[in-house]
Amino acid sequence: MRTSLDHLPPAKQRELERVVQILFEEFGDAIAIATSDWKKQARILKVILYGSYARGGWVDEPHTAKGYQSDFDLLVIVNSDKLTDRVEFWATAEDRLNRELAITKTLRTPVNFIVHTLQEVNDGLAHGRYFFMDVARDGIALYESEPTELHQPKPKTPPQALAMAREYFQEWLQKAQSGFKGFHFYLSQGEVNDAAFLLHQTTERLYHCVLLVCTFYTPHVHNLGFLRTQAERIDPRLIDAWPRDQRVDRSRFEKLKEAYVKARYSKHYRISAEELAWLGERVEVLGQAVQVICEERIAALERAAAA
């Protein structure tokens, strides 16, 4: 695996150093009062940069009309599956990264990170999951406790890949359509919180659909911002679903993102029928793009299987 960041501007290299430092500091605090043996032995084995900043071709245009900016995508590999618990071990790191981006401005680039064990990564490679194969091929190690290589990928046969993609597409598109029906029902009844939650679920399922069909992997998170970033790096046509040049549009997306928790549990959550109608239109655009991208992917797999 590569280790050089020479293709990145010096400012981006310094940012990545800062991001890795934050991850280690917050992880260290999370295990500082460890009493159990496994937690005392907790370690970060690798931090790997993947995605557009690893491959090249990132976009950094937050002040243009579209306002699109690529994120740093990081894979953190740990030595215990218990350490992948995002709430217990990584929530403060995520909060701090967001704070340094939005408040203190010590970071200029958004950061997304996922956490897996080495076994999970190697299992993904052994089962031919495209996401992990891309990480192994294009990733750059920002930190390694020891220079252990990832396992050699074992790509699926074309018929296997086609069967899996079809299964994911059928399952997750149906789930998204079901959620969208529920959204419209609750919106028609004036029950805006339930409508917001189901629209969140529809959006989440659409992102899971396109990620699973195209990469055979999706992160186990409910954060729509994170899922959106992961999906948009697969196909830029997904970017157009969410206008970002106006603050009001960004604010509406944030309300949708918050709906997973706040629409169900917070008495302070507020969203209007007008905002939900606009969000519903954008999710419909997203769904159309997801269906086209998935169908194109399946058609490509059909051609490969027939060859």
Side-chain angles (χ1 to χ4, degrees):
M1 180 168 288
R2 295 181 294 155
T3 58
S4 173
L5 294 173
D6 289 346
H7 66 295
L8 295 180
K12 294 294 184 184
Q13 295 184 37
R14 290 192 295 270
E15 271 195 283
L16 283 169
E17 290 177 3
R18 176 66 175 158
V19 170
V20 173
Q21 178 187 354
I22 290 170
L23 289 173
F24 270 87
E25 287 177 356
E26 297 301 333
F27 179 72
D29 288 347
I31 62 172
I33 56 173
T35 55
S36 56
D37 289 339
W38 72 266
K39 193 178 285 189
K40 290 177 182 177
Q41 297 171 10
R43 283 194 303 152
I44 295 175
L45 302 179
K46 294 178 188 287
V47 180
I48 299 172
L49 175 70
Y50 68 94
S52 60
Y53 277 101
R55 294 190 310 268
W58 65 90
V59 178
D60 193 9
E61 301 173 346
H63 304 299
T64 62
K66 288 208 172 188
Y68 187 73
Q69 184 180 27
S70 299
D71 295 15
F72 288 141
D73 293 312
L74 301 177
L75 168 61
V76 180
I77 300 180
V78 293
N79 67 335
S80 170
D81 60 347
K82 296 177 182 178
L83 297 173
T84 63
D85 187 315
R86 203 164 183 94
V87 174
E88 183 174 358
F89 295 102
W90 303 101
T92 55
E94 188 170 19
D95 288 344
R96 186 173 166 192
L97 289 168
N98 290 334
R99 186 170 65 250
E100 296 209 9
L101 175 70
I103 307 301
T104 66
K105 307 294 185 182
T106 51
L107 293 176
R108 299 291 182 181
T109 308
V111 180
N112 286 315
F113 66 94
I114 55 176
V115 185
H116 285 287
T117 64
L118 187 59
Q119 180 178 342
E120 287 173 334
V121 175
N122 284 331
D123 283 350
L125 292 169
H127 287 88
R129 298 190 181 278
Y130 296 136
F131 171 80
F132 291 110
M133 292 167 64
D134 289 346
V135 171
R137 183 187 66 239
D138 301 327
I140 299 173
L142 304 179
Y143 167 82
E144 292 184 287
S145 62
E146 52 189 56
T148 54
E149 290 295 326
L150 301 178
H151 287 184
Q152 284 296 113
K154 295 180 180 178
K156 291 186 179 299
T157 65
Q160 289 173 334
L162 174 60
M164 179 171 282
R166 282 175 170 169
E167 182 178 342
Y168 281 140
F169 182 55
Q170 182 177 8
E171 176 186 0
W172 285 95
L173 187 63
Q174 190 279 325
K175 287 181 177 179
Q177 291 169 341
S178 176
F180 205 47
K181 290 177 184 176
F183 156 70
H184 280 296
F185 171 76
Y186 283 112
L187 184 60
S188 70
Q189 300 300 304
E191 299 179 28
V192 292
N193 279 29
D194 285 336
F197 171 70
L198 281 172
L199 191 60
H200 175 286
Q201 289 295 282
T202 303
T203 310
E204 179 182 326
R205 293 167 185 178
L206 286 170
Y207 282 132
H208 286 318
C209 180
V210 72
L211 286 165
L212 286 165
V213 170
C214 294
T215 73
F216 299 155
Y217 168 82
T218 188
H220 299 300
V221 298
H222 304 290
N223 184 330
L224 292 186
F226 188 9
L227 291 170
R228 180 174 74 172
T229 297
Q230 299 303 299
E232 287 174 351
R233 70 181 182 85
I234 294 172
D235 195 306
R237 285 176 289 181
L238 295 169
I239 297 171
D240 294 335
W242 300 107
R244 294 158 227 232
D245 53 330
Q246 299 293 327
R247 183 176 179 180
V248 63
D249 296 337
R250 298 193 299 272
S251 176
R252 288 167 177 162
F253 180 79
E254 287 300 312
K255 286 191 176 184
L256 180 62
K257 190 170 75 171
E258 293 173 347
Y260 181 72
V261 174
K262 292 185 178 180
R264 292 182 292 167
Y265 304 120
S266 175
K267 64 181 180 181
H268 303 295
Y269 182 76
R270 295 288 184 272
I271 192 166
S272 68
E274 291 74 20
E275 289 172 318
L276 282 169
W278 183 89
L279 287 166
E281 292 173 358
R282 303 320 305 168
V283 173
E284 190 167 3
V285 171
L286 175 66
Q288 292 167 355
V290 165
Q291 184 164 353
V292 168
I293 292 165
C294 289
E295 288 175 346
E296 289 177 356
R297 177 61 180 163
I298 290 171
L301 292 171
E302 287 172 342
R303 291 192 295 271

